[in-house]
Amino acid sequence: MRFFKIRKTYITFLIAFVLSALFFTNCKEKGELSLSILLPEAEYIAGSQFLTVKASGDWTLTIESASTPSIDWVWLTSYSSNDRSISLRGSGNSSNIALNWDENNSQDARNCIITLSCAGERLQNNFSQKGSDKVDGIVTELKSDKLTNWLELPATKENDSLYFITHNANIGGKTCRNYSFYWDPKALVAHWVAYPLNRGLISTGSRTDLWGLNPKIPREYQPVLFRSYSGYFQRGHQLPSADRYSYEANIQTFYGTNITPQRGALNENIWATLEGTVRDWSKQLDTLYVVTGCVVEGSTEFAYDNEGKKVTVPVGYYKALLGYKQNASVGGSTKGFVGIGFYFDHKGYSNDYTTMMKQSMTISALEKKVGVDFFVNLPAKIGKDMATKVETSIDPFWK
């Protein structure tokens, strides 16, 4: 017991010593005068931090230009005033002074000098902000977002050729996940787009038709589609515009990364019928988890975007659907979950409900056909055996 007390005292002393060392790493001192900045270099995004001043009398804290010609991006505020200022006065010790900075939209880093003056003495500390990784609002580096355990997500592969990207949006006054996709920068299409669907997520509004660039994908790795593809291909949505009528969410459906070159014979007819049927089904469920995808393997055909980049034309399209209804009014033996899949070759079909349903199959059968493992997070939710039952059968709900 005595050994334990000695050891505990030693550890406490060691922690205190380390914390003190960290605190004073960015602290300048001169006699009784000191100025500490815990974060001497900030990321390009906007932010703030508290400064600590120690002085025995009246002092002045000033931001001065360093290598950058302007310091309008950084300012000081205090407990008594939130006005933007490059100079503050005080007396004695203070730790309620905030250093604030705007987002840096330039790729160039910027910096300033913070000077503390007191009784003829001066201390200076440097503060810098990194340059942005965006050009005109578009990132310059292609990288995956962190993978989550949302029910709509298929399995992803551990390689450097496909990238998992997700988007949030304001829907009904709340920040919600809008959709995720698996990006292929070589084919310039998403292998799949996954999203939840219900009345609330569909929301209200109208089609924006604001075709634009995806800010999370470098321009060189995405199609530019302010106009349609060259030739006879249409701009076919994977997440339909009509599935997201809230303004911000709808704009994101018009990113080129949500679009594939699609033949009108499919896009305007039976594919549109399927999209409308999926929305109708979602309104009868608490949530419908949807994966819309395309198959590029085996394709030898290309379309061209507005900048002449080659975009692979898919050989087929599919939807994998996982429906959930609480209280087991559907899927009574599978805890309210039901599943179904659809696959269409990239061609025209007779546009009727019967033909559409002939293209349906179990989730398991669709997985074998397109080589994608759907709804990988479902077993953790309801158990492996029950998840297998959902994926190997078609509930009467769908018919």
Side-chain angles (χ1 to χ4, degrees), residues 53-75:
V53 170
K54 291 185 178 181
S56 57
D58 296 338
W59 50 261
T60 302
L61 193 63
T62 306
I63 302 176
E64 301 175 15
S65 177
S67 60
T68 51
S70 172
I71 53 172
D72 58 358
W73 56 277
V74 60
W75 69 98

Side-chain angles (χ1 to χ4, degrees), residues 7-23:
R7 186 177 180 182
K8 183 177 180 181
T9 301
Y10 173 76
I11 292 173
T12 302
F13 171 80
L14 183 61
I15 291 173
F17 175 80
V18 171
L19 291 175
S20 298
L22 287 173
F23 178 80

Side-chain angles (χ1 to χ4, degrees), residues 31-44:
E32 296 182 0
L33 187 66
S34 72
L35 169 64
S36 65
I37 303 177
L38 295 179
L39 183 67
E41 183 182 45
E43 296 295 330
Y44 74 90

Side-chain angles (χ1 to χ4, degrees), residues 54-110:
K54 291 185 178 181
S56 57
D58 296 338
W59 50 261
T60 302
L61 193 63
T62 306
I63 302 176
E64 301 175 15
S65 177
S67 60
T68 51
S70 172
I71 53 172
D72 58 358
W73 56 277
V74 60
W75 69 98
L76 298 167
T77 55
S78 67
Y79 180 79
S80 58
S81 174
N82 285 321
D83 295 336
R84 294 174 69 128
S85 175
I86 60 170
S87 181
L88 287 178
R89 295 179 181 274
S91 182
N93 299 337
S94 178
S95 58
N96 58 16
I97 306 157
L99 177 68
N100 315 272
W101 55 93
D102 289 322
E103 181 170 336
N104 187 0
N105 293 315
S106 168
Q107 288 185 289
D108 298 325
R110 54 192 182 185

Side-chain angles (χ1 to χ4, degrees), residues 291-310:
V291 183
T292 300
C294 64
V295 177
V296 297
E297 290 80 4
S299 176
T300 58
E301 194 172 9
F302 299 95
Y304 294 86
D305 78 343
N306 302 164
E307 296 181 335
K309 294 196 289 287
K310 289 201 313 184

Side-chain angles (χ1 to χ4, degrees), residues 33-35 53 59-61 114-118 121-123:
L33 187 66
S34 72
L35 169 64
V53 170
W59 50 261
T60 302
L61 193 63
I114 302 173
T115 301
L116 175 64
S117 303
C118 179
E121 296 186 16
R122 285 163 53 92
L123 286 177

Side-chain angles (χ1 to χ4, degrees), residues 367-382:
E367 288 177 334
K368 293 177 182 178
K369 188 170 185 66
V370 300
V372 177
D373 185 5
F374 298 110
F375 310 121
V376 292
N377 297 309
L378 183 60
K381 183 76 174 179
I382 62 175

